[in-house]
């Protein structure tokens, strides 16, 4: 069977009825064949939990008054990146809420300083205007992550008050056309999300030509309007991720932190079901705990050095290697 045979009904079959272990093995074979055994590590810096948006699922939504808010200074941010580079990370990911205090000029200054460390730089700072995306790219940012979250427009608009699905989609196209490596993805197990819409999501991600796919379970946060919802399961998320691998054999796919938050071996299971990237948290001190998108987040009391060696051991224990170099999308 080639990936061309995966139409919507075949995807739904794999999401629901097919034996999970066979699906995971197939995705693992596709991964080995297309991108090999290397697991690329990205150092994730969560630099601000201040956000202008009010997404119903997210623990750092504007409306959550229980969060102690923080914003790193430029110096802290660059120092954190330096320490991550010293640990050996060749990709740094900057993630935050939509904190407009990091305006174009400030973001560009930070990007330029981090790029002097000779690393690949990924941004995950949400929706900005074209001029910002362009300026960040010119300042040296290489990659951009922005999950579409769901392609079910009605569901998106219910979950993201004041936001527009069409605008997010346009942001993804702008990012891609500016020459960034484009990462997108979805949450699985959102309230009211159908299996059909997850199949549509996967076909959408393939259609827009992403370079990286982040897929994780939705985990209800107690201080949000979705506190009482069921949330996604690890199996649903792993199945979705495995199908993504079969649909797009050579892209980068992280074993997501949310998977490990549902199961102590979640990321290892993901690495054996299609994933080839891990993004250890290199945020320091209290900030780790305060960047709480969902409850049960792993490693909140650990240090970057600990996370780095811990995940390295886990990766080697399943016979995989740590990727050398920047680990960009192979097709590029
Ligand atoms: N502000 C940036 C970064 C968002 S945080 C942006 O909008 O792109 C990164 C991702 O965490 C989100 O895209 C979302 O998919 C995920 N996330 C947020 N809340 C979550 C929850 N409760 N459970 C699981 N994942 C969540």
């Amino acid at each position: 069977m080639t990936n061309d045979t995966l139409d919507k009904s075949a995807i739904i079959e794999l999401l629901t009825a097919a034996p999970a272990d066979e699906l995971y093995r197939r995705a693992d074979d596709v991964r080995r064949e297309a991108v090999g055994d290397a697991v690329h590590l990205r150092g994730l810096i969560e630099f601000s939990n201040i956000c202008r948006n009010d997404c119903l699922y997210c623990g750092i939504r504007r409306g959550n008054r229980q969060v102690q808010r923080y914003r790193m200074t430029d110096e802290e941010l660059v120092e954190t990146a330096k320490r991550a580079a010293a640990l050996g990370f060749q990709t740094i990911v900057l993630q935050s809420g939509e904190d407009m205090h990091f305006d174009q000029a400030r973001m560009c200054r930070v990007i330029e300083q981090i790029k002097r460390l000779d690393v690949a730089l990924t941004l995950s700072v949400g929706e900005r205007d074209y001029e910002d995306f362009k300026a960040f790219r010119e300042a040296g940012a290489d990659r951009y992550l922005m999950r579409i979250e769901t392609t079910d427009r009605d569901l998106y608009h219910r979950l993201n008050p004041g936001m527009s699905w069409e605008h997010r989609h346009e942001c993804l196209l702008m990012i891609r056309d500016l020459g960034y490596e484009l990462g997108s993805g979805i949450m699985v197990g959102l309230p009211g999300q159908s299996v059909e819409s997850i199949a549509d999501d996967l076909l959408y991600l393939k259609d827009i030509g992403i370079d990286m796919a982040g897929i994780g379970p939705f985990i209800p946060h107690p201080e949000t309007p979705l506190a009482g919802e069921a949330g996604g399961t690890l199996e649903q998320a792993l199945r979705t991720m495995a199908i993504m691998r079969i649909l797009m054999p050579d892209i980068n796919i992280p074993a997501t932190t949310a998977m490990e938050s549902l199961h102590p071996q979640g990321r290892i299971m993901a690495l054996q079901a299609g994933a080839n990237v891990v993004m250890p948290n290199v945020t320091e001190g209290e900030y780790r705990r305060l960047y709480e998108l969902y409850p049960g987040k792993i490693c909140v009391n650990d240090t970057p050095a600990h996370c780095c060696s811990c995940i390295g051991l886990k990766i080697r224990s399943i016979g995989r290697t740590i990727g050398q170099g920047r680990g960009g999308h192979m097709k590029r």
Side-chain angles (χ1 to χ4, degrees), residues 42-49 70 72-85 89 91-97 110 114 117 119 121-125 279-284 287-288 291 297 304:
R42 325 289 195 201
L44 174 68
I45 304 176
E46 301 157 332
F47 67 92
S48 167
N49 69 354
Y70 73 90
M72 287 187 190
T73 64
D74 295 9
E75 293 70 30
E76 273 179 298
L77 183 39
V78 174
E79 280 308 311
T80 307
K82 275 187 190 158
R83 284 192 284 269
F89 289 100
T91 297
I92 303 293
V93 182
L94 303 185
Q95 192 177 88
S96 66
V110 169
I114 294 179
L117 302 171
V119 290
L121 181 59
T122 305
L123 301 179
S124 176
V125 301
M279 298 167 57
N281 195 336
V282 296
T283 314
E284 295 180 36
Y287 298 150
R288 279 182 182 245
Y291 195 85
K297 183 187 176 197

Side-chain angles (χ1 to χ4, degrees), residues 93-106:
V93 182
L94 303 185
Q95 192 177 88
S96 66
E98 287 195 7
D99 180 358
M100 302 322 282
H101 195 83
F102 283 90
D103 60 13
Q104 186 186 110
R106 186 171 174 192

Side-chain angles (χ1 to χ4, degrees), residues 51 57-59 95-98 124-127 145-147 149 168 186-187 217-221 258 291 293-294:
C51 192
Y57 43 80
C58 186
Q95 192 177 88
S96 66
E98 287 195 7
S124 176
V125 301
E127 297 178 25
L145 307 183
M146 187 189 295
R147 290 184 178 176
E149 316 295 2
R168 201 164 181 85
I186 60 163
M187 280 180 285
F218 158 60
I219 304 175
H221 189 293
Y291 195 85
L293 305 177
Y294 48 80

Side-chain angles (χ1 to χ4, degrees), residues 13-184:
E13 154 79 15
L14 290 173
L15 282 170
T16 53
D21 51 345
E22 279 174 30
L23 169 61
Y24 300 160
R25 210 172 309 122
R26 181 172 163 198
D28 197 41
D29 289 343
V30 172
R31 185 270 311 154
R32 187 179 312 106
E33 175 80 14
V35 295
D37 280 333
V39 177
H40 300 288
L41 300 181
R42 325 289 195 201
L44 174 68
I45 304 176
E46 301 157 332
F47 67 92
S48 167
N49 69 354
I50 296 171
C51 192
R52 64 178 172 179
N53 291 326
D54 215 18
C55 308
L56 265 52
Y57 43 80
C58 186
I60 63 168
R61 64 198 298 269
R62 186 182 69 219
N64 183 3
R65 304 265 173 259
Q66 307 303 315
V67 189
Q68 186 187 327
R69 303 284 170 172
Y70 73 90
R71 170 188 291 139
M72 287 187 190
T73 64
D74 295 9
E75 293 70 30
E76 273 179 298
L77 183 39
V78 174
E79 280 308 311
T80 307
K82 275 187 190 158
R83 284 192 284 269
L87 283 172
F89 289 100
Q90 294 192 61
T91 297
I92 303 293
V93 182
L94 303 185
Q95 192 177 88
S96 66
E98 287 195 7
D99 180 358
M100 302 322 282
H101 195 83
F102 283 90
D103 60 13
Q104 186 186 110
R106 186 171 174 192
M107 264 327 283
C108 287
R109 276 198 305 275
V110 169
I111 292 166
E112 280 160 15
Q113 291 179 73
I114 294 179
K115 283 300 288 181
R116 288 192 203 121
L117 302 171
D118 194 26
V119 290
L121 181 59
T122 305
L123 301 179
S124 176
V125 301
E127 297 178 25
R128 310 284 295 223
D129 59 31
Y130 179 80
E131 294 306 320
D132 283 1
F133 290 137
K134 186 161 178 283
F136 301 164
R137 178 86 185 112
E138 284 166 2
D142 303 281
R143 307 175 188 153
Y144 207 107
L145 307 183
M146 187 189 295
R147 290 184 178 176
I148 193 69
E149 316 295 2
T150 173
T151 56
D152 177 336
R153 302 337 182 237
D154 292 340
L155 178 60
Y156 184 90
H157 292 125
R158 280 203 300 282
L159 294 176
N160 302 91
M163 296 176 74
S164 147
W165 188 90
E166 286 71 22
H167 185 255
R168 201 164 181 85
H169 168 67
E170 277 159 21
C171 285
L172 295 179
L173 302 185
M174 285 188 248
I175 291 165
R176 186 189 68 188
D177 294 344
L178 282 165
Y180 287 93
E181 281 195 39
L182 172 63
S184 191

